[in-house]
Amino acid sequence: MAVVTNGGVDLYYEAKGEPNPVDEVEREAETVAFVNPAGYGAWVWGWQHAALAEGFETVVWDLRGTGRSDAPEGPYSVETLADDLEAVLADHGVRDAHVVGAGLGGMVALEYADRYGRAATLTLFGTAASGDRVDADALDSLFAPRDDPDALRASLRNAFAADLDAYEDVANEIVGWRREEDADRAGFEAQTAAMCAFDRSDSLYEITTPARVYHGVDDAVVPLDAGRDLADGLPRGEFTAVEGGHLCFVEESAAVNDALLGAFDG
C-alpha cells in the first residue's frame, strides 16, 4: 500500500503486477490505472487487474471519500479528482498510463487526459460527456450503508443487469468487499455531485487521446445513447456495446479483459 497527499487529503493506492519493459523510442505505456465509479471501492476492478497483472503494472486507488482515503466535506469536482489521480501517478513515478474509468471514473479519466500528459489511452465504461445524461434516481439507488448487508445486496439491482440471486457466491463476495471498501453516505453524495455537475459536451474535441467507449446495453444509470454520443464526440473515440448494466465490466469480465489486453498490447 501507499499513501500520497494532495491538498491536505490523503489518498490510498496500490500497485501490483510486473510491468512490460518500456520502449524509450515508442514510449509505450506499461501501467494501467483504474478510476472507480461513484461510491465503489477498488474491488470493482478486481476482475481486470487480476487479468492484467502479468505483463502490466496495475494501479488502483480509493477516490477521496472512499475506503481508506480521506473524506473531506463535499461536494467534490471532477477536476479535483483528476488532480488526485495525477498525484497518485506522480507519486508512484508513472510516466505514461492506460487510464480505465467507469461512470464517475470515466469522467475523471476524460478530464485527466485533457489536463495532463500521462494518458496513453482511455477506456471508458458507462460514461457520459455531461452529468445531465445521468439518471440521478438510479445513481442514488446504488448506495447502501456499509453495515447493512441486505441493503448492500439489494442496491446492486441497478448496477447489474443479471439477477444476482442466481450467483449467490459472487453476490456474497461483493457484499463483503463493499462493507470494507465503499464510501459512506457523505462520501457518496460528494462524489455523485461531481458526476452530475460534470459537462464536457461542448469541448470533447479537445480530448485527442485514443478512447475506447464501452457501455452496458442495460445500464440503468447512464443510458446507452449517452455512451454512443460520447464516442462520437471524441476525435479518436470508438464505441462498443456490451451486455450488462452499469458494471458491465464485471458481468462480462472475460470479454472485457480480452478486449483490454488486445488494445494495450496493440
Side-chain angles (χ1 to χ4, degrees):
M1 65 169 284
V3 176
V4 61
T5 301
N6 183 39
V9 176
D10 286 348
L11 304 166
Y12 171 94
Y13 71 92
E14 289 186 355
K16 294 182 179 180
E18 294 295 331
N20 284 325
V22 178
D23 187 322
E24 294 293 340
V25 176
E26 296 297 333
R27 291 182 56 81
E28 294 177 353
E30 60 176 348
T31 299
V32 182
F34 294 93
V35 194
N36 309 343
Y40 290 130
W43 66 264
V44 292
W45 300 113
W47 291 263
Q48 279 67 53
H49 65 71
L52 295 170
E54 185 173 342
F56 289 92
E57 178 182 55
T58 61
V59 176
V60 295
W61 58 295
D62 293 343
L63 277 64
R64 60 174 64 204
T66 304
R68 292 154 290 192
S69 291
D70 286 347
E73 185 176 351
Y76 306 154
S77 69
V78 169
E79 293 80 5
T80 296
L81 296 171
D83 291 342
D84 287 346
L85 175 57
E86 169 65 4
V88 167
L89 295 183
D91 183 72
H92 192 54
V94 174
R95 187 183 63 186
D96 299 318
H98 302 288
V99 182
V100 181
L104 169 63
M107 294 174 174
V108 174
L110 287 167
E111 188 68 21
Y112 179 80
D114 189 39
R115 299 180 69 176
Y116 298 98
R118 299 182 189 273
T121 66
L122 297 175
T123 304
L124 313 172
F125 296 94
T127 302
S130 174
D132 64 10
R133 303 293 297 273
V134 177
D135 186 318
D137 290 335
L139 177 63
D140 188 66
S141 74
L142 300 182
F143 176 78
R146 288 182 299 176
D147 60 356
D148 189 338
D150 291 337
L152 287 169
R153 182 187 293 269
S155 68
L156 294 172
R157 187 173 298 111
N158 276 335
F160 294 100
D163 181 2
L164 288 186
D165 289 340
Y167 304 93
E168 184 174 359
D169 290 344
V170 175
N172 288 338
E173 282 194 292
I174 290 173
V175 168
W177 295 326
R178 295 190 68 191
R179 295 184 73 177
E180 294 293 326
E181 301 181 24
D182 278 9
D184 63 13
R185 185 74 205 188
F188 177 79
E189 290 182 350
Q191 292 178 13
T192 56
M195 187 175 182
C196 292
F198 180 72
D199 188 4
R200 289 298 303 252
S201 53
D202 292 332
S203 57
L204 287 177
Y205 66 90
E206 297 174 351
I207 304 172
T208 58
T209 307
R212 295 174 177 84
V213 179
Y214 297 91
H215 212 103
V217 296
D218 295 311
D219 191 329
V221 178
V222 181
L224 182 67
D225 285 347
R228 186 176 287 110
D229 292 344
L230 171 62
D232 288 344
L234 290 167
R236 302 175 71 182
E238 299 177 5
F239 179 79
T240 302
V242 180
E243 294 299 319
H246 193 56
L247 300 185
C248 63
F249 52 94
V250 175
E251 290 187 86
E252 298 296 327
S253 59
V256 166
N257 293 345
D258 286 344
L260 291 178
L261 285 167
F264 299 158
D265 286 336

